[in-house]
Amino acid sequence: MLRARTLSLVAGALAAFSVCGCSGYRVVRKDSALGPVRRVAVQTLENHSFEPGIEVMVSDALRREFQRGGGVVVVADPAQADLVLSGTVLDLVTSARSFSAVAFGLEYQVELRLALTARRADGNVMVLDPNALRDWELYLTSADVEAERKNRDEALRRLASVLASRVRESLAERLARSQ
């Protein structure tokens, strides 16, 4: 008897929660993640920094982000895309952030800035917010040159991934508003 009563109370509570649920949430299908955009092309960015290969690293991070997010297909040919992403890796700024007692650098900060545009198939161009396209990361120095290079590369990969995620989120928000 007590068990039946408990089960009926739980069922009633679940029914009440489902009726009184928040109406602010909605189910988002993966295929509508970027609104009408189904195919995205990411052109390899231009490199205006002195860091060799950074443009390839960031371009690859952008492609991976769109593939990971689902809902769109990344295509190589811009003529087949609903949205073409292009732009530039701006200057890469590295500066010392913390020092030892004898004035050796312990940590460096690297700042990555991008300038991107997204062109839709109808010719409309969306310039992305420059504040969302810049970030910095700290990495440790080392007496071992290879270890320090690895730390810097990992910091740059994290930055590329974070900025790629911001680009996708920004585009999703803007395209959702334009519908």
Side-chain angles (χ1 to χ4, degrees):
M1 175 135 154
L2 183 60
R3 186 177 174 124
R5 186 173 178 201
T6 303
L7 285 174
S8 66
L9 284 174
V10 169
L14 287 174
F17 283 130
S18 66
V19 170
C20 299
C22 178
S23 64
Y25 293 102
R26 62 188 166 99
V27 176
V28 177
R29 295 186 343 234
K30 271 192 160 185
D31 63 342
S32 66
L34 287 179
V37 174
R38 301 288 178 249
R39 294 176 309 277
V40 175
V42 178
Q43 295 181 321
T44 301
L45 304 179
E46 293 180 32
N47 187 358
H48 289 185
S49 76
F50 291 110
E51 184 73 24
I54 188 69
E55 75 282 5
V56 174
M57 184 186 295
V58 175
S59 299
D60 287 345
L62 288 164
R63 289 182 191 104
R64 278 193 313 274
E65 179 63 29
F66 283 105
Q67 290 169 340
R68 183 193 64 78
V72 296
V73 175
V74 177
V75 296
D77 184 9
Q80 296 177 351
D82 300 322
L83 183 77
V84 178
L85 204 57
S86 61
T88 305
V89 175
L90 301 173
D91 56 334
L92 202 64
V93 178
T94 303
S95 56
R97 285 296 297 238
S98 64
F99 299 92
S100 68
V102 290
F104 290 124
L106 299 175
E107 285 181 323
Y108 282 105
Q109 173 183 308
V110 60
E111 181 181 2
L112 177 61
R113 292 186 315 132
L114 307 174
L116 299 178
T117 58
R119 184 177 36 84
R120 296 183 62 171
D122 61 7
N124 289 337
V125 175
M126 294 185 286
V127 178
L128 300 174
D129 179 16
N131 292 325
L133 300 177
R134 95 189 261 181
D135 205 348
W136 56 269
E137 182 77 31
L138 293 176
Y139 66 95
L140 296 174
T141 62
S142 175
D144 181 0
V145 175
E146 283 302 311
E148 185 169 336
R149 184 192 58 77
K150 183 176 183 256
N151 291 346
R152 180 181 170 84
D153 284 349
E154 287 303 314
L156 290 173
R157 286 187 204 295
R158 282 190 302 270
L159 282 172
S161 179
V162 165
L163 293 178
S165 177
R166 284 186 194 165
V167 167
R168 188 178 200 298
E169 290 169 4
S170 176
L171 286 171
E173 182 181 317
R174 289 184 69 181
L175 289 167
R177 275 190 275 143
S178 69
Q179 285 187 353

